[in-house]
Amino acid sequence: MVKRVVRFGETDAAGVMHFHNLFRWCHEAWEESLERYGLHASDVFPNGIQRDESLEIALPIVNCKADFRLPITTGDHLELILFPEKIDMWSFQIKTKFQREGENVALGLIQHLAINAKTRQRCPLPEAISCWLEASSLNLGPRPL
Amino acid sequence: MVKRVVRFGETDAAGVMHFHNLFRWCHEAWEESLERYGLHASDVFPNGIQRDESLEIALPIVNCKADFRLPITTGDHLELILFPEKIDMWSFQIKTKFQREGENVALGLIQHLAINAKTRQRCPLPEAISCWLEASSLNLGPRPL
Amino acid sequence: MVKRVVRFGETDAAGVMHFHNLFRWCHEAWEESLERYGLHASDVFPNGIQRDESLEIALPIVNCKADFRLPITTGDHLELILFPEKIDMWSFQIKTKFQREGENVALGLIQHLAINAKTRQRCPLPEAISCWLEASSLNLGPRPL
Amino acid sequence: MVKRVVRFGETDAAGVMHFHNLFRWCHEAWEESLERYGLHASDVFPNGIQRDESLEIALPIVNCKADFRLPITTGDHLELILFPEKIDMWSFQIKTKFQREGENVALGLIQHLAINAKTRQRCPLPEAISCWLEASSLNLGPRPL
């Protein structure tokens, strides 16, 4: 479970959270999950500084969706619960439930596909992601979140 | 049809458009569509300066989704084709097709619900939005995009 | 001191943090500082849900600047050190130092002016902000960060 | 001169443009200026797809600042006037004036340094940027904006 406080710059003139920030929150919670599991960002994401050790596999998002149930405003303390799931050998998804004081306020879903960073053809999930997915779904060993 | 050039700040370290910008593009294209139809932003969106004339109806997004088919990069010239559609008397959706040189690169869908801005209970769509929807779907009179 | 981990979506195709995210980080660290001092977001920021209790004073930003010294990349663990300072009875500024493992990587500065939210004329700082500023600069009592 | 309409998602719960969007607008106007001058994005900005032809020179921002004079709201039609200027053989800046119906509403300034993308040591400005700067400041030949 990841905690997040909604900030002023994430609202719009209607006074509530502007919708697409939810996807940023989903992605950032996933990154925090990977980090808690023991993966470093440079194991998964490309990095402009360490160019020589560039990653061979990229994990682009192929689709995503969100449901918004209750208005979310500045200062809200949210709890994000992640449900990672392997789809097949090339792809996985992460569902993220957003709760405020135990109540569901929103839901996000992101699907990633593993591709070869050069050819951009699909390829098997990287070992690190497979392990994280297995640990996450089994809820055994080091819980990712 | 709305044109949009992809900008450097919309990419991430993988060198391609970072996914959630697509939703910002969808929303901005909708705003441009309303404007071309003859609606002013202050007819539809709340505004911090003209507080006395505040709008009675808000149009929060209740769900949205996107498909990403081909990588999009800095400098790409995209064409956005909007398909607005009334769902029922309280809600409508806008599908946005993203094309690059005639090829589909992504798809976005956003659903809005009309609510009373004070009570936050659902209410009939504002007259202005209904007219814009009708003109859009009939493709008669002033074409919204 | 506020901690922040740099996320993938905050980078651009050059592989490093895209510059304007620094200002978002500065603002969010200020919000965290206020919260730690005991202020609730609704004491300082307008809120679309509790419209009747709307704030009389707004705190728009009148200018801001940033220096970027070293590249910042995905996964970097940053420490943000805030230096809030009253400028005069109507305005204050917050300097934010960004460090990575004790090394300065960037610097942000934001100046706010207190205005009456309706007339938009400048007015004395709200009591809550004055107290937070005093506590912050004296480093006495509850340290804001 | 670049035109820009302020969009709903660029406001915050105070009902006005959220400050750091100004820097995004400055950068995007610069990109449009380069494009009008005849430069393609891939001549200046790194690109995740054409990895083999990666650029040797990066142009990171070393500092930036902004002044905000009047509130900017959804639907405002802004005119951006760019004043690019060479600082020395390694760096340049772009001042951007934001006007609404001829009135100054904000000002942004961004300074870039040319560096070797691998060594990250400063280097002379790329030929393409030097030409664009010269054309811009002389106001001769193809006007960049």
Side-chain angles (χ1 to χ4, degrees):
Chain A
M1 195 259 294
V2 172
K3 294 188 177 205
R4 174 145 211 143
V5 183
V6 180
R7 298 303 178 193
F8 181 57
E10 298 173 329
T11 60
D12 59 33
V16 296
M17 184 268 284
H18 193 64
F19 78 114
H20 57 60
N21 288 298
L22 197 95
F23 292 105
R24 188 163 52 79
W25 298 347
C26 288
H27 203 285
E28 293 186 8
W30 172 47
E31 293 177 63
E32 188 166 337
S33 167
L34 294 173
E35 197 171 8
R36 287 192 201 173
Y37 179 65
L39 294 173
H40 189 266
S42 61
D43 298 331
V44 181
F45 302 104
N47 181 308
I49 306 302
Q50 302 155 324
R51 292 189 166 227
D52 299 330
E53 315 162 32
S54 65
L55 295 165
E56 284 173 22
I57 301 178
L59 298 168
I61 290 166
V62 285
N63 61 67
C64 63
K65 62 179 181 178
D67 289 317
F68 304 91
R69 295 185 189 168
L70 289 172
I72 297 172
T73 61
T74 311
D76 279 0
H77 285 245
L78 301 181
E79 299 193 338
L80 286 64
I81 307 158
L82 278 71
F83 301 90
E85 194 182 335
K86 189 171 180 167
I87 299 173
D88 53 35
M89 65 179 295
W90 308 285
S91 59
F92 66 100
Q93 69 177 30
I94 304 156
K95 197 196 296 183
T96 307
K97 261 188 177 175
F98 292 79
Q99 297 190 326
R100 182 178 51 208
E101 296 175 6
E103 196 172 27
N104 290 324
V105 292
L107 188 74
L109 180 75
I110 294 181
Q111 294 192 344
H112 296 261
L113 177 71
I115 62 168
N116 179 299
K118 277 178 194 159
T119 64
R120 299 198 76 86
Q121 298 303 304
R122 75 178 186 184
C123 68
L125 292 173
E127 185 68 16
I129 293 292
S130 287
C131 293
W132 165 80
L133 279 166
E134 202 167 335
S136 302
S137 44
L138 287 181
N139 262 347
L140 296 176
R143 289 194 59 196
L145 280 184
Chain B
M1 195 259 293
V2 172
K3 295 189 176 203
R4 176 148 209 140
V5 184
V6 180
R7 298 302 178 193
F8 182 57
E10 299 173 327
T11 59
D12 59 32
V16 295
M17 185 267 285
H18 193 65
F19 78 114
H20 57 61
N21 288 298
L22 196 95
F23 291 105
R24 188 163 54 77
W25 298 347
C26 288
H27 202 287
E28 294 186 8
W30 172 47
E31 295 177 62
E32 189 166 337
S33 167
L34 294 174
E35 197 172 9
R36 288 192 200 173
Y37 179 64
L39 294 173
H40 188 266
S42 61
D43 298 331
V44 180
F45 302 104
N47 179 308
I49 305 303
Q50 301 156 323
R51 291 188 167 230
D52 299 330
E53 315 162 30
S54 64
L55 295 165
E56 283 173 22
I57 301 177
L59 297 168
I61 290 165
V62 286
N63 61 67
C64 63
K65 63 179 181 180
D67 288 317
F68 305 92
R69 295 185 188 168
L70 289 172
I72 297 171
T73 61
T74 310
D76 279 0
H77 285 244
L78 302 181
E79 300 194 338
L80 286 65
I81 307 157
L82 278 72
F83 301 91
E85 193 183 335
K86 189 171 181 168
I87 299 173
D88 53 34
M89 64 179 296
W90 307 284
S91 58
F92 65 101
Q93 70 177 28
I94 303 156
K95 197 195 295 183
T96 306
K97 262 189 177 174
F98 292 78
Q99 295 190 329
R100 185 180 48 211
E101 296 174 8
E103 194 173 27
N104 292 323
V105 293
L107 188 74
L109 180 74
I110 295 182
Q111 295 191 342
H112 296 262
L113 177 70
I115 63 168
N116 179 300
K118 278 178 193 159
T119 64
R120 299 198 75 85
Q121 298 302 305
R122 76 176 186 186
C123 67
L125 292 173
E127 185 67 15
I129 292 293
S130 287
C131 292
W132 166 80
L133 279 166
E134 204 167 332
S136 303
S137 44
L138 287 180
N139 262 348
L140 295 176
R143 287 194 61 199
L145 281 184
Chain C
M1 196 259 292
V2 172
K3 294 187 177 205
R4 176 149 208 139
V5 184
V6 180
R7 298 303 179 192
F8 182 57
E10 298 173 328
T11 61
D12 58 33
V16 296
M17 185 267 285
H18 192 65
F19 78 114
H20 57 60
N21 288 298
L22 197 94
F23 291 105
R24 188 163 53 80
W25 298 348
C26 287
H27 203 286
E28 293 186 7
W30 172 47
E31 294 176 63
E32 187 165 339
S33 167
L34 293 174
E35 197 171 9
R36 288 193 200 172
Y37 179 65
L39 294 172
H40 189 266
S42 61
D43 297 331
V44 180
F45 301 104
N47 180 309
I49 306 302
Q50 300 154 327
R51 292 188 166 228
D52 299 329
E53 315 162 30
S54 64
L55 295 165
E56 284 173 19
I57 302 178
L59 297 168
I61 290 166
V62 285
N63 61 67
C64 63
K65 63 178 182 181
D67 289 317
F68 304 91
R69 295 184 189 169
L70 289 172
I72 297 172
T73 60
T74 310
D76 279 0
H77 285 244
L78 302 181
E79 300 193 339
L80 286 63
I81 308 158
L82 278 71
F83 300 91
E85 194 183 334
K86 188 172 181 167
I87 298 173
D88 53 34
M89 63 179 297
W90 306 284
S91 58
F92 65 100
Q93 69 177 30
I94 303 157
K95 197 194 296 182
T96 306
K97 261 188 177 174
F98 291 79
Q99 297 191 325
R100 184 180 48 210
E101 295 175 7
E103 196 173 27
N104 292 323
V105 292
L107 188 73
L109 180 73
I110 294 181
Q111 294 192 343
H112 295 263
L113 177 71
I115 62 168
N116 179 299
K118 279 178 194 158
T119 65
R120 298 198 76 86
Q121 298 303 303
R122 77 178 185 185
C123 67
L125 292 172
E127 186 67 15
I129 293 292
S130 288
C131 292
W132 166 79
L133 279 166
E134 204 167 333
S136 302
S137 45
L138 287 181
N139 262 347
L140 296 176
R143 290 193 59 197
L145 280 185
Chain D
M1 194 259 294
V2 173
K3 294 188 178 205
R4 175 147 209 142
V5 184
V6 181
R7 298 301 178 195
F8 182 58
E10 299 173 327
T11 60
D12 59 31
V16 296
M17 185 266 286
H18 193 65
F19 78 113
H20 57 59
N21 288 298
L22 196 94
F23 291 105
R24 187 162 54 78
W25 298 347
C26 288
H27 203 286
E28 293 185 7
W30 171 48
E31 293 176 64
E32 187 166 337
S33 168
L34 294 173
E35 197 171 9
R36 288 193 200 173
Y37 179 65
L39 294 172
H40 189 266
S42 61
D43 298 331
V44 181
F45 301 104
N47 180 308
I49 305 304
Q50 301 155 325
R51 289 183 169 233
D52 298 330
E53 315 162 31
S54 64
L55 295 164
E56 283 173 22
I57 301 178
L59 298 168
I61 290 166
V62 286
N63 61 67
C64 63
K65 64 178 180 180
D67 288 317
F68 304 92
R69 296 185 188 166
L70 288 172
I72 296 170
T73 60
T74 310
D76 280 0
H77 285 244
L78 302 182
E79 299 193 339
L80 286 64
I81 306 157
L82 278 72
F83 301 91
E85 193 182 336
K86 190 172 181 168
I87 299 173
D88 53 32
M89 64 180 295
W90 307 285
S91 58
F92 65 101
Q93 69 177 30
I94 303 156
K95 197 196 295 182
T96 306
K97 262 189 178 174
F98 292 78
Q99 296 190 326
R100 184 180 48 210
E101 296 174 6
E103 195 172 28
N104 291 323
V105 293
L107 189 74
L109 180 74
I110 295 182
Q111 294 192 343
H112 296 261
L113 178 71
I115 63 169
N116 179 300
K118 277 179 193 157
T119 65
R120 298 198 76 85
Q121 298 303 303
R122 73 176 187 187
C123 68
L125 292 173
E127 186 66 16
I129 293 292
S130 288
C131 294
W132 166 80
L133 279 166
E134 203 167 334
S136 303
S137 44
L138 287 181
N139 263 348
L140 295 176
R143 289 194 60 198
L145 281 184

